[in-house]
Amino acid sequence: MTTPPPTADDLQALAEAVNLAEIEALGRARLDRNALEYYASGANDGHTLRANREDLATLRLRPRMLVDVSHIDTSAEVLGLPLDFPVGIAPSAFHGLAHADAERATARAAAAAGSVMTLSTFSNTPIEEVGQAAAGRLWFQLYLLRDRELSRAVIARAEASGARALVFTVDAPYLGRREANERHHFALPPHLSAPHVVSRAELAQVETDTGSQLTHYFQNLVDKAFTWNDLGWLRAQTRLPIVLKGILTAEDAELAVQHGCHVWVSNHGGRQLDTAVSAVAALPEVADAVAGRAEVYLDGGVTRGTDVLKAVALGARAVFLGRAALWGLAAGGEAGVRQTLELLRAEVRLALALSGKQNLRQVGRDLLMR
Ligand SMILES: Cc1cc2nc3c(=O)[nH]c(=O)nc-3n(C[C@H](O)[C@H](O)[C@H](O)COP(=O)(O)O)c2cc1C
Ligand SMILES: CCCCC(=O)C(=O)O
């Protein structure tokens, strides 16, 4: 099914939304079951999905008073790219389920907000088009395919399209079991495809009567044997910085740094190994292990300016939005993602001021209760 374009009333409701939770409700209401369950689901019982948010919310702040906060600077930098505030878009598959403009809309919103978009290997839009829309504010997420030649071709296309980093996802050799998608046989609607990896004709041949089309399709495409020893191969394919997405332990953070990579703390939005540690709970040990030798980012459960500050306090240079961006896209296309980012930017600014901080460089672990 195609999600109908947002009406004038939808866009009015979006413009009046005061927080990301309201945009989420608007976005959810516009999606059919197939799309909604795909976006919303976590693996199995959803413990990690919930823990990402709960653990962010329960961390307590230690604000300082009587600081001159008449000027607040929210700016940040990721791999040399200046950001207006420390929030980017995490890679997520299939933006075409939310809006006809799909990844182009998300990219335009990220560019307009001074953010950065990470395009998924499983996008519905070819990277060449997204690169144009992102105006230099683009990273590319790589799933390493068993077909190494196809992987090489995709990496070359990402470079040629202006991507500034390769985000290599390491937590999904197999797709976690999102049981709602299995129960209701998730499938990409016929008007959508995944142009980096597979043709619509191939997709149509995937068996769906036994579960999620996605699971079958993914399991066949992705390389499950890739290890730390193979990273040299990947390094040789690109001159872009490599970010390993899905790191949750000090041990793997150390290996990532030894292999010349940056570190993205994530449990894939609770969609992979259920009961894995929440992203924010994993962040301190990862940041300590990295010890300034590489950049550290986080995603998972970020919906508030205070969430952003807490991640920065624990060592993240920036955080990334997964579902929040998708809800915005569903609620109102480019305008919805833009509104999501602008609300969050304002919250980051206010949270800094009320914490007695003028900029992100002043945000450290002393902002948090032990
Ligand atoms: C619908 C959906 C699709 C996703 N697709 C991808 C993907 O293609 N590649 C990837 O590395 N991560 C993917 N992720 C994980 C996100 O990049 C991110 O880690 C996660 O959504 C962050 O959690 P949050 O949704 O609570 O912000 C996806 C997440 C969702 C919700
Ligand atoms: C087949 C695309 C997989 C996308 C993904 O990573 C997810 O759904 O979490």
Side-chain angles (χ1 to χ4, degrees):
M1 222 175 90
T2 311
T3 306
T7 63
D9 282 353
D10 289 333
L11 294 175
Q12 182 63 33
L14 172 69
E16 289 172 7
V18 298
N19 59 37
L20 271 55
E22 290 188 3
I23 298 179
E24 173 171 348
L26 296 172
R28 281 177 176 261
R30 292 185 29 75
L31 297 173
D32 66 13
R33 183 175 77 183
N34 186 59
L36 179 60
E37 285 183 346
Y38 176 60
Y39 284 176
S41 58
N44 306 106
D45 295 314
H47 291 296
T48 298
L49 171 66
R50 287 186 298 278
N52 281 341
R53 292 192 58 174
E54 285 164 9
D55 288 359
L56 276 167
T58 48
L59 278 176
R60 291 289 175 253
L61 295 166
R62 298 178 63 250
R64 297 294 308 276
M65 306 301 151
L66 296 176
V67 176
D68 176 357
V69 288
S70 52
H71 298 283
I72 300 290
D73 172 16
T74 61
S75 66
E77 197 182 280
V78 289
L79 300 173
L81 177 69
L83 302 184
D84 287 5
F85 63 121
V87 175
I89 310 285
S92 53
F94 310 146
H95 290 199
L97 292 171
H99 192 276
D101 294 342
E103 288 83 3
R104 284 180 303 277
T106 317
R108 283 196 296 262
S115 176
V116 61
M117 164 160 181
T118 315
L119 182 71
S120 168
T121 291
F122 286 87
S123 62
N124 296 128
T125 315
I127 183 145
E128 292 76 10
E129 285 178 34
V130 182
Q132 298 246 317
R137 295 186 165 275
L138 183 69
W139 287 3
F140 182 73
Q141 177 265 331
L142 181 74
Y143 273 124
L144 200 82
L145 310 175
R146 290 213 301 233
D147 182 342
R148 291 270 176 109
E149 280 312 304
L150 185 53
S151 288
R152 275 158 61 116
V154 174
I155 294 168
R157 286 173 65 186
E159 288 186 358
S161 305
R164 292 162 167 267
L166 204 59
V167 176
F168 176 35
T169 299
V170 294
D171 61 7
Y174 296 83
L175 223 51
R177 195 165 157 86
R178 300 91 189 244
E179 292 167 5
N181 300 160
E182 298 294 329
R183 162 66 52 235
H184 298 127
H185 303 181
F186 171 82
L188 255 197
H191 69 285
L192 296 177
S193 64
H196 300 129
V197 283
V198 78
S199 70
R200 186 66 232 176
E202 286 170 279
L203 202 51
Q205 285 162 15
V206 174
E207 178 70 51
T208 58
D209 18 319
T210 53
S212 165
Q213 178 193 49
L214 199 60
T215 315
H216 289 268
Y217 166 51
F218 189 88
Q219 311 307 29
N220 288 325
L221 276 170
V222 169
D223 189 339
K224 296 148 190 22
F226 199 91
T227 71
W228 294 101
N229 295 330
D230 300 305
L231 269 180
W233 176 86
L234 184 61
R235 182 70 283 169
Q237 305 312 312
T238 181
R239 49 185 172 70
L240 296 177
I242 297 175
V243 181
L244 299 187
K245 173 174 180 282
I247 300 293
L248 291 171
T249 59
E251 296 90 314
D252 282 346
E254 174 62 33
L255 283 166
V257 173
Q258 282 174 14
H259 286 83
C261 299
H262 301 278
V263 177
W264 183 322
V265 176
S266 172
N267 51 41
H268 214 108
R271 294 161 73 82
Q272 289 298 106
L273 179 66
D274 197 19
T275 73
V277 61
S278 74
V280 73
L283 179 58
E285 72 172 67
V286 169
D288 286 346
V290 170
R293 294 174 293 163
E295 295 192 5
V296 176
Y297 320 108
L298 170 138
D299 73 26
V302 174
T303 59
R304 285 291 187 184
T306 44
D307 297 338
V308 180
L309 244 58
K310 289 168 182 177
V312 171
L314 291 172
R317 216 169 227 273
V319 304
F320 289 80
L321 305 179
R323 294 179 185 82
L326 294 171
W327 304 136
L329 188 64
E334 177 185 347
V337 181
R338 183 78 197 266
Q339 169 87 345
T340 300
L341 289 169
E342 296 302 346
L343 282 172
L344 206 51
R345 182 215 304 267
E347 288 191 13
V348 169
R349 175 182 298 278
L350 182 60
L352 272 171
L354 296 183
S355 298
K357 310 290 177 197
Q358 297 155 326
N359 57 56
L360 294 161
R361 292 177 299 286
Q362 296 174 349
V363 173
R365 287 197 190 174
D366 60 332
L367 182 56
L368 297 173
M369 291 294 295
R370 289 274 159 197

